[in-house]
Amino acid sequence: MTKELLEGNFAMAEAAVRAGCEAYFGYPITPQTEILEWMSHRMPELKRTFLQAESEVAAINMVYGAACTGTRVMSSSSSPGVSLMMEGLSYIAGTEVPVVLIDVVRGGPGLGNIAPAQSDYNQLNHGGGHGDYHQIVLAPASVQEAIDMTVLAFELAEKYRNIVVVMADGSVGQMMEPAELPEMRPVTRIQGDWPVTGNVGRPPRVLTSIYIDPPAEEVYNHKILNKWYDIQANEIRYKEYYLDDADFVVVGFGTAGRIALTSVRAARAEGIKVGLLRPITTSPFPFSQLDELSKRAQGMLVVEMNTGQMLDDVRLAAKGRLPVEFYGRPGGMMPFPDDILGEIRRLAHTPLTTEGDPRKRWMDRVRTGELMLR
Amino acid sequence: MDTPQTEVQTVYIRPASLSGTPTHYCPGCTHGIAHRLVAEVLDEMNVREQTIGVAPVGCSVFAYNYFNCDFVEAAHGRAPAMATGIKRVMPNHIVFTYQGDGDLASIGMSEIMHVAGRGENITVIFINNTIYGMTGGQMAPTTLPGQRTTSSPNGRDVETMGYPLHMAELLAQQPGAGYVVRRSLHDPKNIRQAKKAIRVAFEAQKRGLGFSLVELLSTCPTNWGVTPREALGWLEEHMIPVYPLQDFKVIPTLAELKF
Ligand SMILES: Cc1ncc(C[n+]2csc(CCOP(=O)(O)OP(=O)(O)O)c2C)c(N)n1
Ligand code: SF4
């Protein structure tokens, strides 16, 4: 395969097709509609299933049904649509069936706007539907990563019988870059002892999220938590840049992390020993890597396209050992490399504290005009 | 003297499509009858091993324990969407949902309308007992005008609480529907007719003739606050005038089938 100029959304859709996705159910919403549109011709062309559902509520429940048969299945949406999917995702988690979801995050809350944002970090990484469960969340920063992570998402979903979300943002979804698509893989159905396929020659199978006896539900909760520890032990992924000798560490995921890399390079050119950690899996989160970095660095800067959601995870990892500062652009705005460079300089050249609330400090600087927004 | 020859004849046996697990339904509840009718039809059509059922949220939430075929359990009202997902990837299997009136006509209104609209080739068994059984007898979209429930203690006032929804009539209007009828479970004659309708509905699916639904008027003696026997009378007297037992949509190929 050679590199082609590809748009993120089309690239993720075609990557899913080539990863052997056999069924797609979705509902139009900007900035991910190109995924649905691509699937609408590509899946029938390959004699696979495509259906535009009446809502995201229905779409995720169609996905749930197809997943119960052992079919490789996915949906895609953007923030308001993903909110509607929370009920279905919780049931899917409660049934342990493998499902892949692409969320091309946009500005919120409410209807918000259609510009790139990272404001659904908490919803995807820490919460979402009701009940105790965790989903794997992958955060691409380029079209190539969006492709690779879509393929990986199917592998992880099936390996762990777990929900895997590719958390892109509007910019990864909409931008065009040279990237390489994977080879076409054959379509296969999962053969385990759980899919419902009709009980020919075996006792009936039931897939349900009900554990009506609290002790049984407790056991199930233990089971999926232990699975999560397995996932944590084996699947944490991240990218490191210039961290070997870094005194200062920038942490950012997805597009914010990618922009921050430009700033880190510029700061290095000025002689500031700064590096970048870009989580690839924001869930499971690279806690121990940040824990180690917090023991040897002098300060951290978290950069996000929201008002500081991953910030809480970084602070948890840093355990108050070093100052952690925050810089964010919420609402569909994107930071400029120069803005982050300014924050790196501040980190390196001004006295910092481990006291107080970094998010509040950032907000105060915005409010007073000390931090100019462009 | 010759000993008389006795011939042993099976007149009643549990259908192979029922698991034999005792149900948790209240005495006199017609959910059990509806289960048995579906099971008999699956047996007669010899499709048990090709069938995947979708249980709802409601009193029949554990339907999967009582049937002897593969089953999944949906979120409240979403059974038609889940069934769609299954049917689209298993088009040669028999896929059916079993749903109460709160599940189908209230929270799941969107999902049921759209499976009918798409002509989704699934079968829906719709239990209309005019009430939310599982949560303790609150008003359903199917509750009759004036009917007392735990959330319409003075009777359903149509001025503020609206009118009952007629789901079979509504769904039959969709071009994607192949078979939509209403039957009742209040006496043996009607039960036999209900079974015939269930058979036709599953035959419709087997032949790929589009969406099929049998609405079954059912009793909830517990939440109606009457005895099982009174409940049967109440159904006949009060429900049938509001919910006529009719064929609302029978496409011609099906009309010719005789069972
Ligand atoms: C999202 C959601 N809302 C509410 C409930 C609570 N609930 C459980 S069963 C039910 C009503 C079921 O009534 P119906 O569908 O008429 O079935 P029946 O119990 O009468 O057979 C409700 C409201 C729920 N489980 N999930
Ligand atoms: S509450 Fe009503 S619908 Fe539910 S099992 Fe009892 S009688 Fe049947």
Side-chain angles (χ1 to χ4, degrees):
Chain A
M1 296 275 157
T2 47
K3 284 195 174 180
E4 308 161 67
L5 197 58
L6 298 169
E7 193 222 54
N9 281 334
F10 289 124
M12 285 188 279
E14 181 58 22
V17 167
R18 297 192 185 191
C21 176
E22 196 191 339
Y24 173 95
F25 302 93
Y27 188 83
I29 183 170
T30 311
Q32 68 77 47
T33 305
E34 294 85 359
I35 300 179
L36 173 112
E37 288 174 347
W38 184 261
M39 291 307 211
S40 74
H41 79 83
R42 196 65 174 124
M43 296 295 269
E45 180 181 286
L46 295 166
K47 304 215 163 20
R48 303 186 196 174
T49 299
F50 166 85
L51 184 59
Q52 180 173 325
E54 61 269 31
S55 67
E56 290 87 351
V57 174
I60 196 68
N61 282 287
M62 291 172 185
V63 166
Y64 184 19
C68 285
T69 68
T71 300
R72 265 195 176 189
V73 58
M74 69 170 290
S75 185
S76 61
S77 189
S78 177
S79 312
V82 173
S83 288
L84 276 186
M85 291 184 174
M86 286 302 149
E87 175 197 46
L89 289 171
S90 169
Y91 277 72
I92 288 164
T95 314
E96 282 197 290
V97 288
V99 160
V100 170
L101 172 66
I102 296 174
D103 182 358
V104 185
V105 180
R106 60 187 241 180
L111 200 51
N113 59 45
I114 57 174
Q118 299 183 324
S119 40
D120 300 342
Y121 178 93
N122 280 342
Q123 184 189 46
L124 294 175
N125 292 277
H126 290 307
H130 59 283
D132 261 320
Y133 72 95
H134 297 270
Q135 46 197 25
I136 299 173
V137 182
L138 305 169
S142 67
V143 172
Q144 187 63 58
E145 281 188 358
I147 291 170
D148 298 344
M149 288 183 200
T150 302
V151 176
L152 176 64
F154 284 102
E155 289 165 10
L156 294 178
E158 279 165 36
K159 181 170 177 195
Y160 295 102
R161 286 178 65 179
N162 212 83
I163 300 165
V164 183
V165 183
V166 179
M167 174 178 63
D169 59 54
S171 105
V172 171
Q174 303 280 332
M175 78 181 150
M176 290 188 81
E177 284 187 308
E180 191 178 331
L181 284 160
E183 300 282 344
M184 184 71 93
R185 291 192 196 169
V187 165
T188 51
R189 294 258 170 119
I190 299 168
Q191 299 300 325
D193 57 1
W194 58 268
V196 293
T197 51
N199 62 320
V200 180
R202 60 159 173 79
R205 289 176 185 161
V206 173
L207 286 173
T208 173
S209 63
I210 303 177
Y211 293 87
I212 200 74
D213 289 334
E217 183 74 273
E218 187 180 36
V219 168
Y220 182 77
N221 275 264
H222 290 166
K223 179 186 169 204
I224 57 174
L225 179 59
N226 280 316
K227 176 173 80 176
W228 185 246
Y229 283 131
D230 244 17
I231 294 172
Q232 269 191 342
N234 296 303
E235 307 299 347
I236 290 175
R237 290 168 167 80
Y238 52 89
K239 285 256 166 85
E240 295 174 295
Y241 305 87
Y242 313 108
L243 282 174
D244 287 346
D245 63 342
D247 293 330
F248 302 96
V249 177
V250 179
V251 191
F253 68 93
T255 298
R258 181 171 173 173
I259 297 170
L261 180 57
T262 309
S263 319
V264 164
R265 289 195 172 119
R268 278 270 166 184
E270 290 179 8
I272 302 173
K273 284 187 169 178
V274 60
L276 171 74
L277 186 111
R278 181 161 66 81
I280 298 297
T281 53
T282 50
S283 169
F285 190 71
F287 279 112
S288 53
Q289 290 69 28
L290 279 160
D291 181 56
E292 284 307 313
L293 287 169
S294 74
K295 287 177 193 160
R296 51 186 169 91
Q298 295 166 28
M300 282 188 178
L301 171 68
V302 177
V303 181
E304 296 180 78
M305 282 147 58
N306 58 39
T307 59
Q309 299 191 15
M310 183 181 66
L311 171 64
D312 292 334
D313 286 329
V314 175
R315 291 182 74 195
L316 201 59
K319 300 189 181 77
R321 286 192 196 105
L322 79 178
V324 176
E325 293 294 290
F326 174 70
Y327 181 78
R329 292 305 301 266
M333 298 300 291
M334 293 191 14
F336 287 97
D338 281 356
D339 300 333
I340 302 172
L341 176 60
E343 295 301 299
I344 295 172
R345 287 185 188 131
R346 185 173 165 271
L347 196 69
H349 302 315
T350 52
L352 300 167
T353 170
T354 54
E355 301 297 312
D357 175 358
R359 185 190 289 105
K360 179 79 170 30
R361 266 199 297 278
W362 159 75
M363 193 69 261
D364 285 344
R365 289 169 61 219
V366 173
R367 197 169 38 82
T368 57
E370 181 193 330
L371 230 176
M372 294 298 289
L373 298 179
R374 292 189 280 167
Chain B
M1 222 176 96
D2 290 345
T3 42
Q5 290 288 309
T6 49
E7 206 181 310
V8 179
Q9 218 193 339
T10 305
V11 290
Y12 189 87
I13 193 171
R14 187 174 63 234
S17 295
L18 282 185
S19 66
T21 306
T23 73
H24 66 282
Y25 299 116
C26 306
C29 176
T30 45
H31 265 306
I33 297 176
H35 281 23
R36 184 180 168 99
L37 298 184
V38 171
E40 286 179 358
V41 166
L42 297 181
D43 277 13
E44 284 166 18
M45 291 173 65
N46 198 21
V47 292
R48 178 177 69 90
E49 294 180 335
Q50 285 74 47
T51 297
I52 300 172
V54 186
V57 173
C59 279
S60 47
V61 67
F62 292 127
Y64 54 74
N65 284 333
Y66 311 136
F67 285 96
N68 196 13
C69 63
D70 278 9
F71 243 92
V72 298
E73 156 51 35
H76 198 18
R78 318 289 177 230
M82 219 178 160
T84 299
I86 297 170
K87 187 73 181 185
R88 291 288 174 126
V89 298
M90 308 281 270
N92 298 323
H93 279 59
I94 297 289
V95 179
F96 78 96
T97 73
Y98 183 103
Q99 301 178 257
D101 42 13
D103 193 81
L104 180 141
S106 194
I107 198 166
M109 180 58 120
S110 170
E111 285 76 15
I112 193 69
M113 283 306 290
H114 285 276
V115 283
R118 287 192 300 267
E120 209 67 58
N121 203 24
I122 62 167
T123 300
V124 175
I125 307 299
F126 170 39
I127 305 294
N128 177 357
N129 58 12
T130 74
I131 213 155
Y132 282 29
M134 193 193 207
T135 40
Q138 296 78 24
M139 188 179 75
T142 45
T143 295
L144 305 185
Q147 185 181 343
R148 286 175 199 273
T149 71
T150 56
S151 60
S152 58
N154 299 317
R156 181 177 189 163
D157 175 1
V158 294
E159 289 296 322
T160 56
M161 304 170 198
Y163 295 87
L165 291 177
H166 292 71
M167 291 310 296
E169 287 86 333
L170 203 57
L171 293 164
Q173 288 171 21
Q174 309 314 311
Y179 185 70
V180 179
V181 302
R182 183 182 292 118
R183 298 289 184 266
S184 175
L185 299 174
H186 71 281
D187 64 20
K189 174 168 164 257
N190 279 281
I191 289 169
R192 274 197 298 278
Q193 284 167 352
K195 170 153 173 211
K196 279 187 191 148
I198 293 170
R199 175 75 190 261
V200 178
F202 278 97
E203 291 286 347
Q205 179 178 171
K206 197 175 164 191
R207 286 150 211 252
L209 298 175
F211 174 74
S212 53
L213 175 140
V214 181
E215 175 171 339
L216 297 170
L217 300 187
S218 300
T219 63
C220 178
T222 302
N223 288 304
W224 293 355
V226 296
T227 65
R229 187 185 208 103
E230 287 164 352
L232 298 171
W234 192 89
L235 185 165
E236 186 173 18
E237 193 180 330
H238 297 284
M239 285 177 71
I240 294 177
V242 179
Y243 297 113
L245 306 180
Q246 281 176 25
D247 295 353
F248 298 102
K249 177 83 171 273
V250 182
I251 60 169
T253 341
L254 288 171
E256 289 152 23
L257 296 181
K258 289 279 170 283
F259 299 104

